[in-house]
Amino acid sequence: MDRSRKQGTSEIRTNKESSGGRPQRWRPAFNSHHQVTDPQRRHAVVISADFDAEKALAAMGSRKRATCINFLLRNSGYIFIFFVLFIFMQVGFHTGRRKHPKLDRMVVMQDLDENWISRPSNILPFAEEEKKSVVEEHPIPRLMEEAEEQYRKKLGGQSKTLKAAVAEYRRRYRRAPPKGFDDWWKFAQKYDVKMVDEYDGLMEDLKPFWELSGEEIRRRSAQVGELPSIDLFRIRGGKGTVINVNPHFHDSEVSARARGLRSMTGKFVHLLPDMDFPVNAKAEGRVLIPWEHRAFPNLTLQDSSGGVEKMLGGPFKPDWGDDGNIWEAWRRTCTPQSPARRLFSSLRSSQHVQVKNRLASSKITPGSDFHFVKTTSSAENYCDTPHAHYTQGHFFSDWRSIPVLYPVFSPARAKGFMDIRIPSHYYYGSTKRYTYGWDSVNLELKEIDKIFWRGATTGGGSHPPGFAPQYQRHRFLRMASDGSNQTKVITFADPPSSASHFVAAPVPVGTLNEEIMDAAFVKAVSATSYPGGIKALEADHRFADSVPLGRHWAYKYLIDLDGMSYSGRFMSFLASDSVPIKSTVYDEFFTDWIQPWVHFIPLSSSYTEIYNIHAYFSGATQATLEAANSTTAALSPEQRRSVDGDKRLRRIARAGKRWKQTIGRTLDMEAYVYRLCLEWARLWADDRDAMNFSF
């Protein structure tokens, strides 16, 4: 028994030592001299060994706990300071994350980028905020894409057969086409006319005359031909002539437009019945009918058998004199509830002082100059904004309007007037002032990257006098001639290759005009109507020598502005390799056929967005880049050109020129006039049903 315990103890010690001082469960040592076989004795030895091991472990644990307690007691001060600092650091870090998420993102970006230290801009606080684009996207690409889609649908949806054209006509206008429609269709097919269904404007012009009988229309056509500056284009026996039944009134423009209309009918006049076309010798609109006379026909004389003076209430005076003006006549075309019919609203001046908010944020934003119109201002409603009429010269024309529904054929139509549109003789003829000798092969823009305009000081009359400074051409020239330090906010892509990152900077308008504008008057017309006379006119506007029309196209941008009426140069601008930027309040015969932002760039009547139009297509100017502290300012002009903008500008130039070659031809003008003649012949007839087309 004793010898066995000793042996067991020895075995435990041996196992403990062999394990590096760690107690292990007892394992019996088997050898040839001794072997334990009694189970009870073996169990007792194991219990004894376990008990000894537990005592050893307890002793070691006590020593370790004593050591830790002593360490904590000796260093309690340091531990307390550490915990206080740790808590403050956690609270500050959490607060910083909550208040400065951009800084947090900057830190994360630095962690992700191993080379962030080599880029100084990333070290600066809030660098990402400074680089944020001022707009989510530039509006011009979307305007172009939407316009291109609309034009593709319009062009692709034109009728391909006579049967389809008749069906489309019936769908649009709820009646049969006019007699001779099949011959017109053959004409259109022979000369490859693209727009065979788009005549909504023509039908709108003729709509009021469906209220009159054929006899009444014939009588009124003869009567209005007696008035000054109205000529008659007369068709008799398949031949056309131009006559002036009022030879006592001298007008330098007499017969020019009527002769142009006669020329446009040359190919088909032999197919037309007898009829007359009273043609306006002036560019301005002539017919303004009060709203009450249109809404309640019984208020006005409907039977013209008593003659023109009875219809007008007395002799017709060709100019206003002191007894009225166009605006007073025009505003009566509005509804009685409209602001234009309220005396105070209609006379309120559009001039006002802009009040600046000195407490507003100093952050630069695109502002009101960064607004681009979808189309021209021809639909602008002056009935609702009567004060805006001061900015348009046609409201101050010297020529008296006609207050009765007389048929007058004019080259353009502003809102509120009831003239019937015909193509301008300037577009159809070969006048050097209005026609390019253009190269049909060359489709490349020239490199003079400026906005160009030359013209006379026309734009309106002087009834009432004193408002010439606000006419459309004068306003544009003063803006383009401004050499002051007043700033314009310019928004541009930075870098130029970017299509999504834009910055804005205020730039002195005087510097901008030097860099991108080349606009000037070349002739002073009726200078005495300008307040201060010729001296004030020359002081407020830039004057320069005239430039032949064929040399205009050396410039990338050509401004097209209304004069006394429409601009007769628009077709020639389209024929060039330049891009027309057109601002107008007029609709013309081709309005249904052309698409803004596809064939030309539309401009609002305020013109203020023109600097940002240039910045998008041509890139920022040197002064703009310097004002924005852009690193791009160090690049050459070619390197800082807007890549996407330049491509889009060339696309508009090509599309406009292609339109002139395929849809704005003299043949297309003839097709329009042919269709107009068929419609007018039906209105001219007593039996209009007999003038319907049928298969």
Side-chain angles (χ1 to χ4, degrees):
M1 174 70 72
D2 294 339
R3 213 168 56 198
S4 297
R5 275 200 294 270
K6 289 180 182 178
Q7 184 177 351
T9 303
S10 175
E11 287 170 351
I12 291 174
R13 187 183 302 116
T14 302
N15 288 330
K16 184 176 181 180
E17 290 170 357
S18 65
S19 63
R22 292 188 302 272
Q24 296 182 348
R25 291 184 64 86
W26 172 79
R27 292 191 302 244
F30 296 100
N31 53 54
S32 58
H33 301 288
H34 180 77
Q35 185 174 5
V36 179
T37 57
D38 187 352
Q40 292 182 353
R41 290 175 58 197
R42 189 183 306 118
H43 182 66
V45 173
V46 170
I47 291 175
S48 177
D50 286 344
F51 178 78
D52 293 340
E54 288 172 3
K55 288 179 65 178
L57 287 171
M60 291 179 64
S62 298
R63 287 195 298 271
K64 289 182 178 179
R65 281 195 297 272
T67 303
C68 290
I69 291 170
N70 291 334
F71 174 82
L72 292 173
L73 290 174
R74 287 196 304 270
N75 300 282
S76 58
Y78 296 107
I79 294 172
F80 175 78
I81 294 173
F82 170 81
F83 273 100
V84 170
L85 291 175
F86 179 80
I87 291 171
F88 271 101
M89 289 174 64
Q90 289 297 314
V91 171
F93 181 72
H94 180 70
T95 304
R97 286 192 53 137
R98 184 172 63 249
K99 293 184 178 180
H100 304 289
K102 293 184 186 288
L103 180 61
D104 182 51
R105 285 199 301 271
M106 185 182 74
V107 173
V108 172
M109 289 177 62
Q110 292 172 354
D111 291 340
L112 294 175
D113 189 350
E114 295 178 356
N115 299 321
W116 68 273
I117 296 178
S118 63
R119 292 191 304 226
S121 61
N122 281 352
I123 300 177
L124 297 176
F126 314 114
E128 291 298 313
E129 185 171 4
E130 292 178 359
K131 290 185 176 181
K132 183 179 179 181
S133 180
V134 295
V135 291
E136 292 183 2
E137 64 175 350
H138 203 288
I140 287 181
R142 178 169 293 185
L143 286 169
M144 289 184 64
E145 289 158 11
E146 290 176 354
E148 288 168 358
E149 180 62 23
Q150 291 174 10
Y151 186 71
R152 278 194 295 267
K153 287 182 178 179
K154 180 184 290 187
L155 188 60
Q158 299 301 298
S159 298
K160 302 298 187 293
T161 65
L162 174 60
K163 184 177 180 180
V166 171
E168 180 64 15
Y169 187 103
R170 287 182 176 275
R171 184 191 70 81
R172 291 190 184 210
Y173 311 124
R174 306 303 184 196
R175 63 169 63 99
K179 186 178 181 179
F181 191 79
D182 53 344
D183 290 330
W184 174 85
W185 179 261
K186 291 176 184 176
F187 181 93
Q189 296 304 296
K190 178 180 179 180
Y191 295 109
D192 195 25
V193 175
K194 306 295 184 185
M195 294 293 186
V196 293
D197 297 323
E198 304 305 319
Y199 288 86
D200 291 353
L202 185 155
M203 300 300 287
E204 185 66 24
D205 292 351
L206 296 178
K207 184 178 179 180
F209 295 95
W210 280 89
E211 303 168 8
L212 305 178
S213 66
E215 180 184 11
E216 186 66 28
I217 286 178
R218 294 194 298 272
R219 195 158 50 219
R220 293 193 185 197
S221 296
Q223 290 175 4
V224 75
E226 299 174 12
L227 301 183
S229 300
I230 301 289
D231 300 310
L232 288 179
F233 166 50
R234 175 166 289 171
I235 299 176
R236 295 291 186 270
K239 295 182 179 180
T241 58
V242 174
I243 62 174
N244 179 10
V245 297
N246 189 351
H248 303 292
F249 183 80
H250 176 72
D251 192 326
S252 60
E253 295 183 283
V254 164
S255 302
R257 291 180 176 84
R259 288 196 300 268
L261 182 61
R262 181 187 61 185
S263 298
M264 295 177 205
T265 64
K267 292 184 176 66
F268 50 83
V269 66
H270 61 284
L271 300 174
L272 301 175
D274 294 351
M275 53 187 161
D276 292 344
F277 295 82
V279 181
N280 185 10
K282 297 294 184 184
E284 298 96 320
R286 301 295 294 275
V287 182
L288 287 173
I289 304 173
W291 178 87
E292 290 84 355
H293 290 189
R294 297 291 304 129
F296 307 102
N298 60 319
L299 293 179
T300 187
L301 188 62
Q302 296 298 305
D303 184 356
S304 63
S305 58
V308 65
E309 289 192 5
K310 188 174 182 180
M311 291 289 288
L312 298 176
F316 181 80
K317 299 178 182 178
D319 56 57
W320 282 107
D322 298 324
D323 60 346
N325 56 67
I326 284 290
W327 169 247
E328 289 301 317
W330 190 94
R331 73 186 187 93
R332 286 180 170 82
T333 68
C334 304
T335 63
Q337 297 80 19
S338 66
R341 294 294 291 269
R342 302 169 189 168
L343 186 61
F344 175 77
S345 296
S346 66
L347 296 179
R348 184 178 61 188
S349 173
S350 62
Q351 303 304 308
H352 62 277
V353 178
Q354 184 177 1
V355 179
K356 295 184 178 180
N357 182 2
R358 302 295 180 181
L359 300 179
S361 171
S362 60
K363 183 179 179 180
I364 302 300
T365 59
S368 60
D369 291 352
F370 195 71
H371 174 73
F372 308 94
V373 294
K374 287 188 175 183
T375 186
T376 63
S377 301
S378 63
E380 190 166 342
N381 191 352
Y382 296 97
C383 291
D384 294 335
T385 57
H387 54 278
H389 89 274
Y390 290 101
T391 65
Q392 298 299 325
H394 73 272
F395 288 115
F396 299 86
S397 172
D398 298 327
W399 298 103
R400 186 183 297 271
S401 58
I402 302 170
V404 177
L405 184 60
Y406 275 115
V408 176
F409 293 81
S410 298
R413 173 170 164 164
K415 190 176 181 64
F417 288 82
M418 301 193 72
D419 300 53
I420 303 168
R421 284 168 285 177
I422 56 174
S424 170
H425 66 298
Y426 290 136
Y427 299 154
Y428 191 80
S430 57
T431 307
K432 290 183 179 180
R433 290 175 56 200
Y434 299 96
T435 307
Y436 272 122
W438 44 273
D439 178 4
S440 60
V441 177
N442 179 21
L443 293 177
E444 294 298 322
L445 274 73
K446 299 302 184 291
E447 295 306 319
I448 303 180
D449 197 357
K450 287 194 173 187
I451 298 168
F452 185 84
W453 187 86
R454 290 290 188 277
T457 61
T458 57
S462 57
H463 283 76
F467 291 94
Q470 294 308 308
Y471 296 169
Q472 54 276 3
R473 291 186 174 185
H474 296 74
R475 287 188 293 109
F476 180 81
L477 257 295
R478 275 203 311 283
M479 182 183 76
S481 306
D482 189 353
S484 71
N485 288 326
Q486 182 180 352
T487 60
K488 292 280 185 181
V489 177
I490 307 302
T491 302
F492 61 97
D494 190 28
S497 58
S498 176
S500 59
H501 187 266
F502 297 88
V503 298
V507 188
V509 68
T511 307
L512 280 174
N513 285 333
E514 272 188 40
E515 291 179 316
I516 71 172
M517 288 291 184
D518 189 350
F521 282 133
V522 298
K523 181 182 179 182
V525 178
S526 301
T528 54
S529 64
Y530 191 87
I534 186 65
K535 289 185 178 180
L537 187 64
E538 292 178 344
D540 295 341
H541 310 84
R542 180 191 172 203
F543 278 77
D545 294 334
S546 61
V547 176
L549 189 63
R551 283 183 17 212
H552 284 43
W553 67 346
Y555 293 81
K556 282 191 175 182
Y557 306 89
L558 298 177
I559 286 288
D560 193 50
L561 303 173
D562 293 337
M564 299 299 292
S565 178
Y566 71 106
S567 168
R569 293 184 288 186
F570 183 56
M571 285 289 189
S572 60
F573 286 174
L574 288 167
S576 74
D577 294 322
S578 307
V579 173
I581 303 178
K582 186 173 182 62
S583 177
T584 184
V585 296
Y586 292 94
D587 283 330
E588 299 182 57
F589 82 95
F590 55 80
T591 298
D592 292 335
W593 296 356
I594 202 166
Q595 189 72 45
W597 290 111
V598 175
H599 306 110
F600 68 95
I601 299 173
L603 186 67
S604 72
S605 57
S606 70
Y607 317 130
T608 55
E609 74 272 28
I610 194 167
Y611 297 99
N612 278 299
I613 287 174
H614 184 277
Y616 174 75
F617 288 109
S618 293
T621 65
Q622 182 70 29
T624 304
L625 294 171
E626 291 174 357
N629 293 321
S630 173
T631 56
T632 311
L635 301 178
S636 67
E638 289 297 323
Q639 290 175 310
R640 63 176 183 244
R641 177 181 296 173
S642 172
V643 177
D644 184 64
D646 187 66
K647 290 179 180 178
R648 290 181 179 274
L649 187 68
R650 293 175 185 274
R651 196 156 83 200
I652 295 175
R654 288 184 172 92
K657 187 167 187 173
R658 182 63 177 166
W659 184 92
K660 179 64 180 70
Q661 294 171 343
T662 58
I663 298 177
R665 307 167 300 167
T666 55
L667 288 167
D668 298 288
M669 299 178 204
E670 292 170 0
Y672 183 94
V673 171
Y674 194 169
R675 180 89 164 244
L676 171 62
C677 288
L678 296 181
E679 298 288 356
W680 187 242
R682 178 163 56 179
L683 288 169
W684 188 268
D686 289 322
D687 186 357
R688 289 174 179 169
D689 289 339
M691 296 295 289
N692 290 342
F693 169 77
S694 61
F695 287 103

